[in-house]
Coordinates of all heavy atoms in Angstrom, one line a residue:
S1 N 0.8 -1.3 -0.1 CA 0.0 0.0 0.0 C 0.8 1.2 0.0 O 0.5 2.3 -0.7 CB -1.0 -0.1 1.2 OG -0.3 0.3 2.4
N2 N 2.0 1.3 0.6 CA 2.8 2.3 0.7 C 3.5 2.5 -0.7 O 3.8 3.8 -1.2 CB 3.9 2.2 1.8 CG 3.5 2.6 3.1 OD1 2.5 3.6 3.3 ND2 3.8 2.0 4.2
E3 N 3.9 1.5 -1.3 CA 4.5 1.6 -2.7 C 3.4 2.2 -3.6 O 3.7 3.1 -4.4 CB 4.8 0.2 -3.1 CG 6.1 -0.4 -2.6 CD 6.4 -1.9 -2.8 OE1 5.6 -2.4 -3.8 OE2 7.2 -2.4 -2.2
L4 N 2.2 1.7 -3.5 CA 1.1 2.3 -4.4 C 0.9 3.7 -4.1 O 0.7 4.6 -4.9 CB -0.1 1.5 -4.3 CG -0.1 0.1 -4.9 CD1 -1.4 -0.8 -4.2 CD2 -0.1 0.2 -6.3
L5 N 1.0 4.2 -2.8 CA 0.8 5.5 -2.3 C 1.9 6.5 -3.0 O 1.6 7.5 -3.4 CB 0.7 5.6 -0.8 CG 0.9 7.0 -0.2 CD1 -0.5 7.8 -0.4 CD2 1.2 6.9 1.3
N6 N 3.0 5.9 -2.9 CA 4.3 6.7 -3.3 C 4.2 6.8 -4.9 O 4.4 7.8 -5.5 CB 5.5 6.1 -3.0 CG 5.7 6.2 -1.5 OD1 5.4 7.1 -0.9 ND2 6.6 5.3 -0.9
A7 N 3.7 5.7 -5.6 CA 3.6 5.8 -7.0 C 2.5 7.0 -7.5 O 2.5 7.5 -8.4 CB 3.1 4.5 -7.6
G8 N 1.5 6.9 -6.6 CA 0.3 7.8 -6.8 C 0.8 9.3 -6.6 O 0.3 10.2 -7.4
A9 N 1.6 9.5 -5.6 CA 2.2 10.8 -5.2 C 3.0 11.2 -6.5 O 3.0 12.4 -6.8 CB 2.9 10.8 -4.0
E10 N 3.7 10.3 -6.9 CA 4.7 10.6 -8.1 C 3.8 11.1 -9.2 O 4.2 12.2 -10.0 CB 5.6 9.6 -8.5 CG 6.6 9.9 -9.6 CD 7.6 11.0 -9.1 OE1 7.9 11.1 -7.9 OE2 8.2 11.5 -10.2
A11 N 2.9 10.3 -9.6 CA 2.0 10.6 -10.7 C 1.3 12.0 -10.5 O 1.2 12.8 -11.4 CB 1.0 9.5 -11.0
Y12 N 0.8 12.1 -9.3 CA 0.1 13.5 -9.0 C 1.1 14.7 -9.2 O 0.7 15.7 -9.7 CB -0.3 13.4 -7.4 CG -1.4 14.6 -7.1 CD1 -2.6 14.3 -7.2 CD2 -0.8 15.8 -6.8 CE1 -3.5 15.3 -6.8 CE2 -1.8 16.7 -6.4 CZ -3.1 16.6 -6.4 OH -4.0 17.6 -6.2
R13 N 2.3 14.6 -8.7 CA 3.3 15.6 -8.9 C 3.6 16.0 -10.3 O 3.8 17.1 -10.7 CB 4.6 15.2 -8.2 CG 4.7 15.5 -6.7 CD 6.0 15.3 -6.1 NE 6.6 14.1 -6.1 CZ 6.3 13.0 -5.2 NH1 5.4 13.4 -4.2 NH2 6.8 11.8 -5.4
K14 N 3.4 14.9 -11.2 CA 3.6 15.1 -12.6 C 2.4 15.5 -13.4 O 2.4 15.9 -14.5 CB 4.0 13.7 -13.2 CG 5.5 13.3 -12.8 CD 5.8 12.1 -13.4 CE 7.2 11.6 -13.0 NZ 7.6 10.3 -13.6
G15 N 1.3 15.8 -12.7 CA 0.0 16.1 -13.2 C -0.8 15.1 -13.8 O -1.9 15.3 -14.5
D16 N -0.4 13.8 -13.6 CA -1.1 12.7 -14.1 C -2.1 12.1 -13.1 O -1.9 11.2 -12.4 CB -0.2 11.5 -14.6 CG -0.8 10.4 -15.3 OD1 -2.2 10.4 -15.3 OD2 -0.1 9.4 -15.7
Y17 N -3.3 12.9 -13.0 CA -4.1 12.6 -11.9 C -5.0 11.4 -12.0 O -5.3 10.8 -11.1 CB -5.1 13.9 -11.7 CG -4.5 15.2 -11.5 CD1 -4.6 16.2 -12.5 CD2 -3.5 15.3 -10.5 CE1 -3.9 17.4 -12.2 CE2 -2.9 16.5 -10.2 CZ -3.0 17.6 -11.2 OH -2.2 18.7 -11.0
V18 N -5.3 11.0 -13.3 CA -6.0 9.7 -13.5 C -5.1 8.6 -12.9 O -5.6 7.7 -12.2 CB -6.3 9.5 -15.0 CG1 -6.8 8.1 -15.2 CG2 -7.3 10.6 -15.5
T19 N -3.9 8.6 -13.3 CA -3.0 7.4 -12.8 C -2.9 7.6 -11.2 O -2.9 6.6 -10.6 CB -1.6 7.6 -13.5 OG1 -1.8 7.4 -14.9 CG2 -0.7 6.4 -12.9
A20 N -2.7 8.8 -10.7 CA -2.7 9.0 -9.3 C -3.9 8.4 -8.7 O -3.8 7.7 -7.5 CB -2.4 10.5 -9.0
Q21 N -5.0 8.7 -9.1 CA -6.3 8.2 -8.6 C -6.4 6.6 -8.5 O -6.7 5.9 -7.6 CB -7.4 8.7 -9.4 CG -8.9 8.3 -8.9 CD -9.8 8.9 -9.6 OE1 -9.8 9.5 -10.6 NE2 -11.1 9.0 -9.1
E22 N -5.8 6.0 -9.7 CA -5.8 4.6 -9.8 C -4.9 4.1 -8.6 O -5.4 2.9 -7.9 CB -5.3 4.1 -11.2 CG -6.3 4.3 -12.3 CD -5.7 4.2 -13.6 OE1 -4.6 3.7 -13.7 OE2 -6.4 4.5 -14.6
Y23 N -3.7 4.6 -8.4 CA -2.8 4.0 -7.4 C -3.3 4.4 -6.1 O -3.2 3.4 -5.2 CB -1.4 4.8 -7.5 CG -0.6 4.2 -8.7 CD1 -0.1 5.1 -9.6 CD2 -0.2 2.8 -8.7 CE1 0.7 4.6 -10.7 CE2 0.5 2.3 -9.6 CZ 1.1 3.1 -10.6 OH 2.0 2.7 -11.6
Y24 N -4.0 5.5 -5.9 CA -4.6 5.9 -4.5 C -5.6 4.8 -4.1 O -5.8 4.5 -3.1 CB -4.9 7.3 -4.5 CG -3.9 8.3 -4.4 CD1 -4.1 9.5 -5.0 CD2 -2.6 8.0 -3.9 CE1 -3.3 10.6 -4.9 CE2 -1.6 9.0 -3.9 CZ -1.9 10.4 -4.4 OH -1.0 11.2 -4.3
T25 N -6.4 4.6 -5.2 CA -7.7 3.7 -5.0 C -7.1 2.3 -4.6 O -7.6 1.7 -3.6 CB -8.5 3.6 -6.2 OG1 -8.9 4.9 -6.5 CG2 -9.6 2.7 -6.0
Q26 N -6.0 1.8 -5.3 CA -5.5 0.5 -5.0 C -5.0 0.4 -3.5 O -5.2 -0.5 -2.8 CB -4.5 0.1 -5.9 CG -5.0 -0.1 -7.3 CD -3.8 -0.5 -8.3 OE1 -2.9 -1.2 -7.9 NE2 -3.9 0.1 -9.5
A27 N -4.2 1.5 -3.2 CA -3.6 1.7 -1.8 C -4.7 1.7 -0.7 O -4.6 1.2 0.3 CB -2.7 2.8 -1.9
A28 N -5.8 2.5 -1.1 CA -6.8 2.6 0.0 C -7.5 1.3 0.2 O -7.8 1.0 1.3 CB -8.0 3.7 -0.5
K29 N -7.7 0.5 -0.8 CA -8.3 -0.9 -0.7 C -7.5 -1.7 0.2 O -8.1 -2.6 0.8 CB -8.5 -1.5 -2.0 CG -9.6 -0.8 -2.8 CD -9.8 -1.5 -4.2 CE -11.0 -0.8 -5.0 NZ -11.1 -1.4 -6.3
L30 N -6.2 -1.3 0.3 CA -5.3 -2.2 1.2 C -5.2 -1.6 2.5 O -4.5 -2.0 3.4 CB -3.8 -2.3 0.5 CG -3.8 -3.1 -0.7 CD1 -2.4 -3.0 -1.4 CD2 -4.2 -4.7 -0.5
G31 N -6.0 -0.5 2.7 CA -6.1 0.1 4.1 C -5.2 1.4 4.3 O -5.0 1.7 5.4
N32 N -4.7 1.8 3.3 CA -3.7 2.9 3.4 C -4.6 4.2 3.6 O -5.3 4.8 2.7 CB -2.9 3.1 2.2 CG -1.8 4.1 2.4 OD1 -2.1 5.3 2.6 ND2 -0.5 3.6 2.4
V33 N -4.4 4.7 4.9 CA -5.3 6.0 5.3 C -4.9 7.2 4.5 O -5.7 7.9 4.1 CB -5.2 6.1 6.8 CG1 -5.9 7.4 7.3 CG2 -5.7 4.9 7.5
Q34 N -3.6 7.4 4.4 CA -3.1 8.6 3.6 C -3.7 8.5 2.1 O -4.1 9.6 1.5 CB -1.6 8.8 3.5 CG -1.2 10.0 2.9 CD -1.8 11.3 3.7 OE1 -1.5 11.5 4.9 NE2 -2.3 12.2 2.8
A35 N -3.8 7.5 1.5 CA -4.2 7.3 0.3 C -5.6 7.6 0.1 O -6.1 8.3 -0.8 CB -3.9 5.8 -0.3
M36 N -6.4 7.2 1.1 CA -7.8 7.6 1.1 C -8.0 9.0 1.2 O -8.8 9.6 0.6 CB -8.5 6.8 2.3 CG -10.0 7.1 2.3 SD -11.0 6.5 0.9 CE -11.0 4.8 1.2
C37 N -7.2 9.7 2.0 CA -7.2 11.0 2.2 C -6.9 11.8 0.9 O -7.6 12.8 0.5 CB -6.2 11.5 3.3 SG -6.4 13.3 3.8
N38 N -5.8 11.3 0.2 CA -5.4 11.8 -1.0 C -6.5 11.8 -2.1 O -6.7 12.6 -3.0 CB -4.2 11.2 -1.5 CG -2.9 11.6 -0.7 OD1 -2.9 12.3 0.2 ND2 -1.8 10.9 -1.1

């Protein structure tokens, strides 16, 4: 979940919000609270 969160954050920083959303959703499904917040 942390790997997915970090990948999402990297995509977000690059302006690729669709990819960021996909990574955050996967991380949130694994229980990552920060990903759910993001």
Side-chain angles (χ1 to χ4, degrees):
S1 75
N2 279 332
E3 290 170 7
L4 292 164
L5 173 67
N6 291 334
E10 182 64 28
Y12 193 95
R13 280 190 292 277
K14 292 178 179 177
D16 185 355
Y17 304 121
V18 171
T19 300
Q21 182 178 14
E22 291 170 5
Y23 282 125
Y24 290 152
T25 299
Q26 291 175 43
K29 286 180 181 177
L30 292 173
N32 191 297
V33 176
Q34 185 61 52
M36 184 60 77
C37 188
N38 290 1

